[in-house]
Amino acid sequence: MNYFRSLSFLFVTLLLGSQLSAQAPDSSRIVRVLTYNILHGKTLKGDFDLDLIASVISKEKPDLVALQEVDYKTNRSKKYDLVTELGIRTGLSPLFARAMYYDDGEYGEGILSKYTFLTTTNHPLPYTEGKEPRAAAEVNVVIKSGDTIRFVGTHLDHETDGHNRYIQAEEVNRVLKRDNVPTILVGDLNETPENRAMQLLFKDWERSFADNVFTFPSDEPIKKIDYVLFRPAHRWRILEKRVIDERVASDHRPVLVVLELLPDK
């Protein structure tokens, strides 16, 4: 009797070990993603501190970072090229995508990447007359496994009526539907999960957080408006997800999601 029990125990152990081994992440396919609205470099103390922002980013060791509210040589940001300055401080490759001209400079999206850029595209998003222009910054990169992935950072309209956010979400879906490249879409989308622009995006994109974890304002968050989305669902596995408890460097909290790219079947 003890012999059969031992055999049964050995079989279960081997089976569980095999299952755990099959599920172990492949380090060459892991992508650490961060989205962060940096308030054009201004902290909640009212000063201008790129070193603080860079330290928040570097601490999480991201592979890809999307930055919103990024200034390029504006007067208010001391004529700095913010994404390049942050690239120098973090050791990541920088890219700026203009949404509009502003304050004797430019304003838009930033991307920081551990990888070189295979291709880059700045997608202008639709908006009604008199409102702020918006953009979606797209990069294609090759990760350690040799797979190509697409990473897109955007910042949707902030107006309360939601019309521009909806047409911008429609445009994001339209321009990113052209192939089956595994894609991560992130940013400050300026809308809570139950509203219609997010509901439109959720039809095409998987969300990294099923629960409503608040991201804004950073000192005492009361709503979720910063997101990491991805598709297709069968190509990605979530390994970690976290809203970072950073209350000073910006008025938004950064969001970190660690994803594993699964082999295509």
Side-chain angles (χ1 to χ4, degrees):
M1 194 70 173
N2 289 337
Y3 173 76
F4 287 110
R5 285 178 180 171
S6 297
L7 280 179
S8 297
F9 178 78
L10 178 61
F11 175 77
V12 170
T13 301
L14 289 172
L15 180 62
L16 288 174
S18 175
Q19 289 175 340
L20 288 172
S21 176
Q23 295 173 358
D26 179 346
S27 61
S28 71
R29 293 176 169 272
I30 294 174
V31 183
R32 296 178 65 86
V33 172
L34 189 75
T35 182
Y36 200 9
N37 182 318
I38 62 168
L39 192 62
H40 56 83
K42 184 179 178 181
T43 75
L44 290 195
K45 293 180 180 178
D47 58 352
F48 186 80
D49 194 341
L50 295 181
D51 291 332
L52 175 58
I53 295 169
S55 70
V56 172
I57 294 170
S58 294
K59 184 179 179 181
E60 302 305 327
K61 297 180 171 60
D63 298 309
L64 291 162
V65 183
L67 304 172
Q68 302 86 48
E69 295 198 29
V70 179
D71 280 8
Y72 176 81
K73 298 187 177 181
T74 63
N75 293 321
R76 71 177 176 182
S77 293
K78 302 182 180 181
K79 289 296 183 179
Y80 280 125
D81 170 357
L82 293 190
V83 71
T84 296
E85 293 290 339
L86 290 171
I88 292 169
R89 288 163 170 78
T90 59
L92 299 171
S93 298
L95 177 75
F96 175 73
R98 184 185 70 241
M100 64 179 180
Y101 294 102
Y102 179 77
D103 193 24
D104 200 30
E106 301 175 16
Y107 172 83
E109 311 304 310
I111 288 179
L112 298 171
S113 175
K114 182 179 178 180
Y115 312 104
T116 57
F117 301 119
L118 190 62
T119 63
T120 66
T121 308
N122 184 6
H123 299 284
L125 301 180
Y127 63 99
T128 54
E129 186 176 356
K131 304 300 182 183
E132 282 189 10
R134 300 285 170 155
E138 172 192 334
V139 300
N140 284 258
V141 300
V142 179
I143 63 174
K144 288 182 181 178
S145 64
D147 294 278
T148 297
I149 66 168
R150 178 181 292 122
F151 181 70
V152 183
T154 192
H155 183 197
L156 300 188
D157 185 85
H158 66 286
E159 299 288 345
T160 55
D161 66 11
H163 171 72
N164 280 345
R165 280 193 298 280
Y166 189 81
I167 63 175
Q168 289 163 3
E170 284 184 316
E171 180 68 1
V172 167
N173 280 345
R174 186 189 71 79
V175 299
L176 297 178
K177 272 187 174 176
R178 46 191 198 280
D179 54 38
N180 293 319
V181 174
T183 303
I184 305 169
L185 171 66
V186 310
D188 172 6
L189 304 185
N190 265 319
E191 187 156 273
T192 52
E194 71 278 4
N195 288 312
R196 65 181 193 138
M198 292 313 306
Q199 290 300 310
L200 176 66
L201 289 170
F202 291 155
K203 290 178 181 178
D204 279 4
W205 301 86
E206 298 297 317
R207 61 184 95 180
S208 51
F209 286 82
D211 47 346
N212 190 13
V213 184
F214 298 153
T215 64
F216 178 84
S218 59
D219 51 353
E220 293 184 13
I222 59 171
K223 59 184 177 179
K224 177 182 179 63
I225 57 175
D226 302 272
Y227 296 85
V228 175
L229 310 175
F230 56 88
R231 71 177 187 211
H234 73 281
R235 294 299 309 276
W236 295 103
R237 176 164 60 145
I238 300 169
L239 302 179
E240 181 184 351
K241 53 188 179 181
R242 181 159 42 92
V243 175
I244 298 162
D245 186 7
E246 168 52 52
R247 308 182 182 202
V248 177
S250 174
D251 60 342
H252 287 245
R253 292 193 175 187
V255 178
L256 175 76
V257 176
V258 182
L259 296 165
E260 180 186 10
L261 178 66
L262 302 175
D264 200 5
K265 296 180 181 179

